[in-house]
Amino acid sequence: MIEKIISGVTIECVKGDIAKQPDITAVVNAANAWLKPGGGVAGAIHRAAGPGLEEECRPLAPIKPGQAVITGGHNLPNRYVIHCLGPRWGIDKPEDKLLADCYRNALKLADEHKIDSIAFPAISTGIFGYPVEEAAKVALKTIKEVIPTLKYIKKIRFVLHSDRDLTVHEKVLASL
Ligand code: AR6
């Protein structure tokens, strides 16, 4: 686990499960356009949240790549879920702009809801095929750019699923 403080906001990278972050107010879902339970992060979040989440999501769908929408956390230990649709590598272009939009829009939405802490998975780097190091650079660069505009968020956590993804994000964070 490493952390870095930028303009009073703590950014940290941990290995773990995005659905098991009880000390965080909002967790981010790497969603599909229809906001349905799927594999990976979306599967873990919907399983832990229960069917009420899918029900709340239905009228909000479909969403576009780069977009973010907010719901309650239902049976998750978190008050909110922010659902982002990442770009599919090689399909939704330009991938870097759309991925940056996810992080920017999620942080903006969280701050509008006076959320103090938010946890992100590595959006698009699983089923959507975005190379993890490229994705980590886009994610952390965008977060650094957005931080000066935030009023309420004090903690931003990356929850990585593998040792390799953790190492990549730690390296990019250290070089920020
Ligand atoms: N906690 C944290 N990270 C996880 C977890 C977890 N429980 N499970 C997987 N990861 P993905 P995407 C990592 O595929 O690429 C879904 O089916 C995973 O190893 O969840 O944006 C949706 O329905 C990878 O590094 O999201 C969409 O159709 C990262 O989280 C599609 O997949 C993202 O992997 C979205 O694809």
Side-chain angles (χ1 to χ4, degrees):
M1 201 272 248
I2 76 155
E3 63 172 47
K4 194 162 188 164
I5 300 173
I6 297 179
S7 309
V9 178
T10 302
I11 307 175
E12 55 186 38
C13 297
V14 303
K15 189 181 163 188
D17 182 343
I18 192 76
K20 293 181 183 154
Q21 305 297 320
D23 59 327
I24 293 287
T25 305
V27 289
V28 174
N29 181 16
N32 50 70
W34 292 96
L35 305 174
K36 295 272 187 198
V41 167
I45 284 186
H46 277 273
R47 252 191 321 276
L53 181 61
E54 193 180 349
E55 215 168 286
E56 188 184 355
C57 281
R58 203 169 296 131
L60 305 176
I63 63 168
K64 295 192 179 73
Q67 202 184 336
V69 294
I70 191 164
T71 64
H74 298 265
N75 296 336
L76 280 162
N78 319 96
R79 180 150 177 220
Y80 298 104
V81 179
I82 295 178
H83 307 259
C84 291
L85 178 60
R88 293 164 296 171
W89 183 254
I91 298 174
D92 301 312
K93 297 186 184 229
E95 292 100 334
D96 56 348
K97 181 194 171 287
L98 293 171
L99 188 62
D101 285 348
C102 285
Y103 286 93
R104 195 177 301 111
N105 289 329
L107 289 169
K108 206 171 145 222
L109 198 53
D111 214 53
E112 283 166 8
H113 284 76
K114 302 187 166 57
I115 286 166
D116 59 341
S117 56
I118 182 167
F120 285 95
I123 299 170
S124 283
T125 67
I127 292 164
F128 283 177
Y130 208 121
V132 67
E133 187 164 355
E134 302 308 312
K137 285 180 184 161
V138 170
L140 283 154
K141 179 172 167 272
T142 306
I143 286 172
K144 189 181 171 185
E145 281 169 11
V146 175
I147 278 178
T149 70
L150 302 174
K151 274 171 68 183
Y152 296 96
I153 297 175
K154 292 292 163 228
K155 182 184 287 225
I156 301 172
R157 176 179 294 163
F158 273 90
V159 181
L160 291 322
H161 216 40
S162 68
D163 287 320
R164 178 174 166 266
D165 290 354
L166 177 63
T167 304
V168 167
H169 282 76
E170 285 179 339
K171 211 177 76 191
V172 176
L173 178 58
S175 71
L176 207 62

